[in-house]
Amino acid sequence: MTKLFTNLLQKIIKTVDSHGLNRLYLIEHKKEVEEFFSTVLEEKYCSDIAKKYQKRLKKYKLNLFNFINYDNVSWNNNIAEHAIKILSSHSHKTINSYTSTKINEYLNVMSLFVTCEYNDISFLKFLLSQKKDIFRYCGN
């Protein structure tokens, strides 16, 4: 199981290294992904650890390789982890006493901040521009 997963992921990462996170190229791995899941989920494993991983793969089957269906979606979780770190670094502050409306506003601002950061856009300049759409702002 692990060897199959490693081989599949290595092929996908090679494509990412060559062509970036471009759906046009990544979608070529869709059949390999389906074959991987078909093989792994139909196999009868003996060890508890293999059974555990098989169960986990079954649970996350629809999400694990979903990034191949879209442009510019990271194959790993680094972007999400970074965004959560930003949020958690503020959790000890007065956010605990905010109303749900204030928390939603805070999360929107933090989401905008992280989006600016990952698109190499100055958060302050975007706010000062008074634009409503970050992607239209990027086009300018």
Side-chain angles (χ1 to χ4, degrees):
M1 174 189 330
T2 56
K3 189 172 185 176
L4 290 173
F5 183 79
T6 301
N7 290 339
L8 175 60
L9 197 56
Q10 284 176 339
K11 289 178 187 177
I12 293 172
I13 299 308
K14 188 174 181 181
T15 300
V16 170
D17 287 344
S18 300
H19 303 286
L21 295 167
N22 190 329
R23 178 188 179 276
L24 180 67
Y25 297 99
L26 291 172
I27 203 73
E28 294 174 5
H29 296 287
K30 192 170 189 104
K31 186 175 181 182
E32 293 172 282
V33 168
E34 289 169 2
E35 289 171 0
F36 165 76
F37 279 113
S38 176
T39 302
V40 169
L41 297 180
E42 290 174 10
E43 186 70 36
K44 300 285 185 205
Y45 294 101
C46 296
S47 74
D48 288 340
I49 190 82
K51 288 177 186 177
K52 190 175 182 179
Y53 279 116
Q54 184 182 39
K55 184 178 176 183
R56 198 167 183 187
L57 286 169
K58 183 177 181 180
K59 181 178 179 180
Y60 294 106
K61 177 183 177 184
L62 296 175
N63 298 325
L64 191 59
F65 290 97
N66 200 24
F67 67 93
I68 66 173
N69 297 310
Y70 303 96
D71 284 330
N72 300 317
V73 175
S74 179
W75 63 272
N76 60 35
N77 218 14
N78 291 345
I79 293 172
E81 287 175 8
H82 178 70
I84 289 170
K85 281 181 190 174
I86 290 172
L87 180 60
S88 67
S89 70
H90 296 287
S91 66
H92 67 281
K93 297 181 181 162
T94 57
I95 193 169
N96 294 330
S97 62
Y98 285 177
T99 64
S100 62
T101 304
K102 287 290 183 190
I103 290 172
N104 284 335
E105 289 174 3
Y106 178 79
L107 291 174
N108 285 333
V109 170
M110 294 310 297
S111 175
L112 184 60
F113 174 78
V114 171
T115 302
C116 286
E117 188 176 63
Y118 279 104
N119 285 286
D120 268 344
I121 297 168
S122 166
F123 180 63
L124 179 60
K125 286 182 182 178
F126 174 72
L127 291 178
L128 292 174
S129 76
Q130 297 182 353
K131 300 274 186 188
K132 302 272 187 222
D133 187 331
I134 193 165
F135 298 105
R136 283 191 180 150
Y137 175 80
C138 292
N140 293 340

